[in-house]
Amino acid sequence: MLPLVLQTLSVTAPVFVMLFIGVLLVRLRWIDGAFIHTASTLVFKATMPTLLFLSVIKADLDAALQPRLLIYYILATVAGFLLAWAWAIWRCPWADRGVYVQGAFRGNNGVVGLALATSLYGDYGLSLGGVLAGLVILLYNSLSAVVLAIYSPDGRADAGDIIRSILRNPLVIGVTSAIPFAYWQVPLPEWLMTSGEYFAQLTLPLALICIGGTLTVSVLRESSSLAMSSSLMKMVWFPLLATLGAWLCGFRGAELGILFLYFGCPTAASSFVMARAVNSNHQLAATIIVITTLGAALTINVGLFLLHWLGWI
């Protein structure tokens, strides 16, 4: 059990350090609201799409393309999204529903999930996790764009507005533009790949510093009830139901373990970036990210322990 705890902490602890740096920089007045707005825009429109593009074109499709597992993951993710949405209609104020739903289903698979899958299952975890990450990035961003557009503070969106918000979403563009390069294995110049990687590496530090910069005691207090509800759905109910469903569908061993890790990941930092980009309650999004990242050290390890104990992985 202790090695699993240490593995999880080794992935989640750096996230907390960057969040704390964001809090500290605001307290020192080295950054302010204008910087956070500009940096969040840069992440959303440029660095994160670059990161997603590179992630997709580097995925080993031949080694890890498992249609049955990928189809199950898509169906489970959509089901979790719809469940969170139904709960939000009953539980949340209208203006916060989009952020609540996004926080409840959108996991940090590209960082936490992939790192843990690789740590536990080696090259197989890296290959299968990379393909899953590329797939769900497109799915997450499309579903998030829909629910955030519907509950946009700028007014209700019609079907055309929703479609346009998906097609214009820089994160969706980053993934879809990479698919032809990955499928036909089109090589890019090494200097271009290196430059892209330098640029993409700005994504996570900038996003986490911006999240930390928006956190205050008053924000945490005001958002605590809704954030805790969304976080419990993300860290407990969704991984519990989705992993049990995967077991009933016959998944065992490394496949079931990787599915659990991806279902149980804390909420992605990109949910804050998207919420801020559409003028939604980005402070609620930041609080959900903090709670789920903190909770991941407990819930992921307990889940892995139970799956080992039951002999399912």
Side-chain angles (χ1 to χ4, degrees):
M1 183 69 176
L2 182 58
L4 294 176
V5 174
L6 295 177
Q7 286 176 356
T8 307
L9 288 176
S10 69
V11 176
T12 57
V15 173
F16 273 107
V17 170
M18 296 307 299
L19 290 172
F20 176 75
I21 289 175
V23 174
L24 181 62
L25 292 178
V26 169
R27 296 292 290 271
L28 293 173
R29 297 184 179 180
W30 290 3
I31 65 174
D32 55 14
F35 172 87
I36 292 172
H37 175 75
T38 301
S40 298
T41 302
L42 176 64
V43 170
F44 180 65
K45 292 185 176 181
T47 68
M48 190 168 287
T50 303
L51 177 65
L52 300 182
F53 179 89
L54 295 175
S55 298
V56 172
I57 66 174
K58 291 191 294 186
D60 188 355
L61 300 179
D62 293 332
L65 198 59
Q66 301 184 34
R68 181 168 167 267
L69 185 144
L70 298 178
I71 290 171
Y72 176 79
Y73 194 90
I74 292 172
L75 294 176
T77 299
V78 173
F81 168 76
L82 294 175
L83 177 63
W85 195 349
W87 185 261
I89 291 173
W90 176 74
R91 181 72 174 77
C92 296
W94 185 89
D96 292 334
R97 289 176 186 171
V99 175
Y100 180 98
V101 173
Q102 185 181 216
F105 90 96
R106 183 175 189 165
N108 194 352
N109 296 333
V111 178
V112 178
L114 186 58
L116 289 176
T118 304
S119 178
L120 289 177
Y121 298 108
D123 290 339
Y124 179 74
L126 178 62
S127 296
L128 180 56
V131 171
L132 273 176
L135 173 69
V136 300
I137 284 166
L138 179 59
L139 188 62
Y140 282 165
N141 286 294
S142 298
L143 294 176
S144 295
V146 169
V147 75
L148 289 172
I150 290 175
Y151 297 107
S152 169
D154 299 328
R156 289 183 179 271
D158 57 26
D161 291 332
I162 294 172
I163 293 173
R164 282 190 292 272
S165 71
I166 295 174
L167 295 178
R168 293 173 180 173
N169 187 298
L171 308 184
V172 174
I173 293 171
V175 174
T176 54
S177 62
I179 292 175
F181 291 89
Y183 183 79
W184 284 293
Q185 297 183 341
V186 178
L188 293 177
E190 185 175 347
W191 66 267
L192 184 60
M193 291 290 292
T194 302
S195 299
E197 288 171 0
Y198 287 161
F199 190 58
Q201 287 170 3
L202 295 171
T203 300
L204 194 59
L206 270 181
L208 293 174
I209 286 173
C210 291
I211 292 168
T214 65
L215 293 175
T216 63
V217 174
S218 60
V219 166
L220 292 172
R221 188 184 301 116
E222 292 169 4
S223 303
S224 60
S225 177
L226 282 180
M228 184 60 69
S229 175
S230 179
S231 299
L232 285 173
M233 184 166 291
K234 180 67 193 75
M235 300 305 298
V236 178
W237 301 118
F238 178 48
L240 176 64
L241 296 174
T243 304
L244 179 59
W247 181 80
L248 292 174
C249 289
F251 293 104
R252 300 290 188 275
E255 292 179 356
L256 184 62
I258 292 171
L259 284 172
F260 165 74
L261 291 173
Y262 272 52
F263 289 134
C265 278
T267 302
S270 53
S271 63
F272 168 85
V273 177
M274 280 194 67
R276 190 175 184 97
V278 298
N279 298 317
S280 291
N281 189 348
H282 60 275
Q283 294 174 326
L284 173 60
T287 307
I288 293 170
I289 292 167
V290 172
I291 293 174
T292 56
T293 303
L294 178 63
L298 174 64
T299 56
I300 290 178
N301 284 290
V302 169
L304 288 173
F305 174 79
L306 291 174
L307 291 173
H308 277 293
W309 181 68
L310 293 169
W312 292 2
I313 63 174

